[in-house]
Amino acid sequence: MKLRTAIFASLIATVALAGCQGSVFDGVEAKAERELPSKVLAKIKAKGMNKTSPVMARIFKEEGVLEVWKQKTNGRYDMVASYEICKWSGKLGPKFVEGDRQAPEGFYSVSAAQMNPNSQYYLSFNLGFPNAYDRAHGRTGQHLMVHGACSSAGCYSMTDESMSEIYAFGRDAFKGGQRDFQVQAFPFRMTAANMARYKSDPNYEFWTMLKEGYDQFEITKVPPKVDVCGKRYVFNQNFPGQQGISASAACPPMSQPDSIQSAYSSYQKTYDAAFSTALNKSSKKNLAPSIMGIQEAKLVSDWSARRARGEKVSRTPPSLSPASSETPGAPDTAAPTAIAQTPAPAATTTVATTAPVATQPELDQNVTASVPVPASNPVAAETTPQALPVVPSPEKKSLWNRMTGQ
């Protein structure tokens, strides 16, 4: 009996280590084909959108929010829905290695093949981690998803009701011809006030790089064209005469449309003034915990591996800084015992009960008014609709047989 219990516990830990890999259950077709609620469809129409027009998503960890944006008939995107993230694992900061329990941050692309209507987590789609940037930095991991079931081991987990709608947005866009949709995952809304709060964080340089893509979307309201060269993200760049670029090699000569350059320069001047003001103010908002780089990631990964092998480990993963408490929308880790001699200041994460609107109160909102939509929209709405992959239904098995593979 003890052996059976140990095997079962080990299998549960192995599932957590592997990430949020989906599996197939029966009777899921109805979930994947469920229509959006009538009130959402009415909102889509009122905003000048089509039901099958392209979509994109933005994720904000600290705020615990996933936004769905949809293309209007004028080519620009507008936010059509916002959902509270039920749970995400790890801390602020990127994912480094397999088993570090970190939910990814960065720019990801989701194709129809990455949609899983048969997920054991109700419905899901794979973020596509590691992407070109992650691979250039030697980052490892798999099965990192957005899914239902409100349970996370490196993923972004939603309630089943929210996931049903998010999935439907993607499904309908694919039916309309969108080849893939962009998911932008950020640690927080990248306002001047928030960037000033995290100025001393070890992940700050990485976040300033993400912020350039965040800003260009704020300016154009069109998902930026994303490339990776020189081991960094570059946005809305053209590479004259280049057939392809290498994520690890130095960036070749590149250029950006004049309209974006001009608008970004104006936007940045306003931001710099707001950032300087924010630095001189003491924020009343506590800092959320963030991962202390690859060193902490390896500690957590080792803890995950030992736990998966059935070794006796601490109930919570090791940490070089305090972790946030188990609250709705927060990471799925309780506060572990910090092992660093000089830990970072303690902090708590407060999650809003209502999803905030994506605005930048510190900046001049009129900056974006004169920016034209880039001539080449990265989304090809006229392409042939792509059918969602069909996954065969498995034979029914008991819970124990499913967990043991018998």
Side-chain angles (χ1 to χ4, degrees), residues 348-395:
T348 57
T349 300
T350 302
V351 178
T353 56
T354 57
V357 178
T359 58
Q360 287 236 80
E362 298 94 335
L363 303 182
D364 181 359
Q365 298 300 315
N366 293 323
V367 168
T368 66
S370 60
V371 180
V373 177
S376 56
N377 194 311
V379 180
E382 292 79 19
T383 57
T384 303
Q386 184 174 0
L388 293 176
V390 177
V391 182
S393 299
E395 59 178 334

Side-chain angles (χ1 to χ4, degrees), residues 185-198:
F186 300 108
F188 41 75
R189 297 189 186 280
M190 311 202 89
T191 62
N194 281 339
M195 294 300 289
R197 287 170 59 220
Y198 288 96

Side-chain angles (χ1 to χ4, degrees), residues 199-211:
K199 180 66 171 66
S200 300
D201 193 279
N203 300 293
Y204 183 78
E205 183 177 356
F206 171 71
W207 291 338
T208 57
M209 178 181 58
L210 298 187
K211 186 180 182 299

Side-chain angles (χ1 to χ4, degrees), residues 111-351:
S111 67
Q114 291 164 242
M115 304 282 281
N116 186 2
N118 303 306
S119 173
Q120 71 178 41
Y121 298 99
Y122 189 73
L123 294 167
S124 67
F125 59 79
N126 194 308
L127 282 170
F129 180 95
N131 62 14
Y133 175 89
D134 301 318
R135 292 192 298 272
H137 286 267
R139 295 178 179 176
T140 57
Q142 57 184 332
H143 312 309
L144 282 304
M145 302 185 182
V146 175
H147 61 72
C150 194
S151 175
S152 178
C155 299
Y156 293 102
S157 181
M158 317 299 296
T159 64
D160 291 351
E161 181 180 1
S162 294
M163 192 62 213
S164 176
E165 294 187 17
I166 296 167
Y167 190 94
F169 275 115
R171 177 203 66 212
D172 290 347
F174 289 133
K175 288 181 179 179
Q178 187 172 17
R179 292 189 297 257
D180 49 67
F181 65 85
Q182 191 175 100
V183 178
Q184 306 171 2
F186 300 108
F188 41 75
R189 297 189 186 280
M190 311 202 89
T191 62
N194 281 339
M195 294 300 289
R197 287 170 59 220
Y198 288 96
K199 180 66 171 66
S200 300
D201 193 279
N203 300 293
Y204 183 78
E205 183 177 356
F206 171 71
W207 291 338
T208 57
M209 178 181 58
L210 298 187
K211 186 180 182 299
E212 184 174 346
Y214 173 94
D215 289 346
Q216 293 196 26
F217 176 72
E218 288 288 303
I219 292 168
T220 66
K221 291 299 185 289
V222 174
K225 174 180 173 288
V226 180
D227 292 290
V228 180
C229 59
K231 293 187 175 183
R232 64 176 287 109
Y233 287 111
V234 293
F235 305 97
N236 290 323
Q237 294 287 348
N238 298 317
F239 301 90
Q242 292 289 325
Q243 297 299 317
I245 59 174
S246 169
S248 298
C251 292
M254 54 188 179
S255 61
Q256 196 174 65
D258 291 341
S259 60
I260 294 180
Q261 276 191 336
S262 176
Y264 183 73
S265 176
S266 176
Y267 187 95
Q268 191 64 33
K269 288 179 181 178
T270 308
Y271 168 80
D272 289 343
F275 181 78
S276 178
T277 300
L279 281 178
N280 295 322
K281 288 184 178 179
S282 57
S283 175
K284 296 180 180 179
K285 189 175 182 180
N286 292 329
L287 296 176
S290 63
I291 191 164
M292 299 290 106
I294 186 65
Q295 180 184 3
E296 181 172 349
K298 288 181 176 179
L299 284 174
V300 177
S301 179
D302 177 69
W303 174 90
S304 297
R306 289 188 289 115
R307 185 184 183 210
R309 292 194 296 265
E311 297 180 18
K312 187 176 181 180
V313 296
S314 59
R315 185 177 65 86
T316 54
S319 175
L320 296 181
S321 66
S324 58
S325 60
E326 189 79 54
T327 57
D332 69 337
T333 56
T337 302
I339 62 175
Q341 294 182 354
T342 57
T348 57
T349 300
T350 302
V351 178

